[in-house]
Amino acid sequence: MNVQVTRCTPDQSRPRPDPNDIGFGRHASDHMFLMEYKEGRGWYDPRIEPYRPLELDPAAMVLHYNQQIFDGLKAYNLADGNIGLFRIDRHADRINLSADRLMMPRIEPDQIVLAIESLVRVDRDWIPDAPGTSLYIRPTMIATEPALGVRVSRRYLFYVIAGPAGAYYPEGFNPTRIYVANENIRAAKGGAGEAKTSGNYAPTLYVSQDAVDRGYSQVLWLDAKELKYVEEVGTSNIFFVLDNQLVTPPLEGTILPGVTRDSVLQLARSWNLDVVERPVSIDEVLEGCRNGVVREAFASGTAAVVSPIGQIGYDDEDVTISDGTTGPLSKRLYGEITAIQYGRKPDPFGWITRVD
Ligand SMILES: *Cc1c(COP(=O)(O)O)cnc(C)c1O
């Protein structure tokens, strides 16, 4: 694959954010990667261009039937001056997992990696330097064929955009309060919960707004069949420390297979901790919070890495996890993963891809 690069002119260059107020998802870098697909021809015309709005036919199939997938990963300025991408192979594989579920064409993992590396090279000066900051990268695929009627599109666009992400914990690594959704669900068995596809998110907004109105920051999702087993928290995976065991729900099709989830599991196993993937009922969690069996709970995801949970609300009751402060394993995992991401510690699992 030969990526054509068209660099932006100085007047096309985008405004830089205030380094003290970068936030998340608010600023796009100067360039984007694009590549088209047509049935019978395959992927063609890989290129980097100045960031710009897309032109889409109003009948483009993504706008009507939501054949869309995306992913999210980060590039970091490493301690040694290089640029590192975190677990890009795993993200490339997940893009293809999502593509399969949505009947969209696969992309060779090497080409996904090359697309992302090419963009990061061109926009390397958009990777912020301050501690805890990074460049967030959003690969996306959409169905572009202009046609109404529900069927598989014959044309697609794959594009990659990026933008600086500020430190997630500027005010400290503090636990959140989450609210159990006990009427609404995110994904059912046989559905598309394990794919990162836009259709999984809009229907959750209504539920998360209700949680926010009640004073919580996120929703804790239960399984769709019995509303009994814990699945995910917001757009993150969930872990509990039950006595001395690290427990997370198994991947059985309804849960997004988080790359951070996998990193937590690998690290914890390498530390010889007792780790198990098994169904966890909400009753077990609530009871365990009351009697002290639940020592810690945290969410895992690319944006926050590890996000400690201090309180869980269910109906009108709140239970507090341990003493409501951040637990030692949450701190250790956050410290270790971020140290590897920023190249402050060796990378024993080969998670970092260096971009030169
Ligand atoms: C992206 C996402 C996650 C976390 O995945 P990471 O690869 O760790 O960022 C978890 N759950 C949902 C629903 C997600 O969309």
Side-chain angles (χ1 to χ4, degrees), residues 223-240:
D223 76 282
K225 194 170 176 200
E226 299 180 74
L227 287 168
K228 180 173 170 190
Y229 295 101
V230 171
E231 299 237 304
E232 300 200 58
V233 52
T235 57
S236 305
N237 296 112
I238 191 161
F239 286 85
F240 299 96

Side-chain angles (χ1 to χ4, degrees), residues 311-342:
Q311 267 194 337
I312 301 177
Y314 186 87
D315 279 336
D316 294 327
E317 191 196 354
D318 274 336
V319 294
T320 301
I321 290 155
S322 195
D323 60 359
T325 63
T326 301
L329 185 61
S330 308
K331 278 187 197 150
R332 184 177 179 200
L333 285 162
Y334 178 78
E336 192 74 17
I337 294 173
T338 52
I340 294 172
Q341 286 172 332
Y342 289 95

Side-chain angles (χ1 to χ4, degrees), residues 179-183 214 216 286 312-318:
Y179 192 70
V180 181
N182 59 0
E183 285 177 9
R214 291 170 192 263
Y216 300 86
L286 298 174
I312 301 177
Y314 186 87
D315 279 336
D316 294 327
E317 191 196 354
D318 274 336

Side-chain angles (χ1 to χ4, degrees), residues 69-73 95 116 137-141 158-161:
I69 59 167
F70 67 98
D71 218 281
L73 70 159
I95 288 170
I116 293 170
I137 301 161
R138 171 56 61 92
T140 310
M141 195 196 296
F158 176 69
Y159 63 89
V160 185
I161 54 174

Side-chain angles (χ1 to χ4, degrees), residues 70-73 86 90-91 94 136 138 186 193-197 200-201 204 221 231-238 254-263 300-305:
F70 67 98
D71 218 281
L73 70 159
F86 188 67
R90 195 86 189 183
H91 286 279
R94 190 169 65 192
Y136 182 77
R138 171 56 61 92
R186 190 190 87 89
E194 69 180 347
K196 237 173 156 68
T197 175
N200 283 337
Y201 301 86
T204 68
W221 299 105
E231 299 237 304
E232 300 200 58
V233 52
T235 57
S236 305
N237 296 112
I238 191 161
T254 55
I255 293 178
L256 200 292
V259 175
T260 320
R261 176 187 181 279
D262 185 75
S263 307
S300 72
T302 295
V305 184

Side-chain angles (χ1 to χ4, degrees), residues 224-301:
K225 194 170 176 200
E226 299 180 74
L227 287 168
K228 180 173 170 190
Y229 295 101
V230 171
E231 299 237 304
E232 300 200 58
V233 52
T235 57
S236 305
N237 296 112
I238 191 161
F239 286 85
F240 299 96
V241 179
L242 303 176
D243 285 327
N244 287 318
Q245 192 172 54
L246 181 65
V247 182
T248 193
L251 301 178
E252 287 171 350
T254 55
I255 293 178
L256 200 292
V259 175
T260 320
R261 176 187 181 279
D262 185 75
S263 307
V264 166
L265 289 174
Q266 272 196 53
L267 261 181
R269 287 183 175 129
S270 79
W271 293 337
N272 290 319
L273 300 183
D274 185 5
V275 181
V276 55
E277 294 170 71
R278 66 154 171 91
V280 184
S281 74
I282 187 64
D283 291 338
E284 180 183 359
V285 170
L286 298 174
E287 185 53 28
C289 290
R290 291 186 201 105
N291 66 22
V293 167
V294 179
R295 305 255 177 94
E296 296 183 43
F298 60 88
S300 72

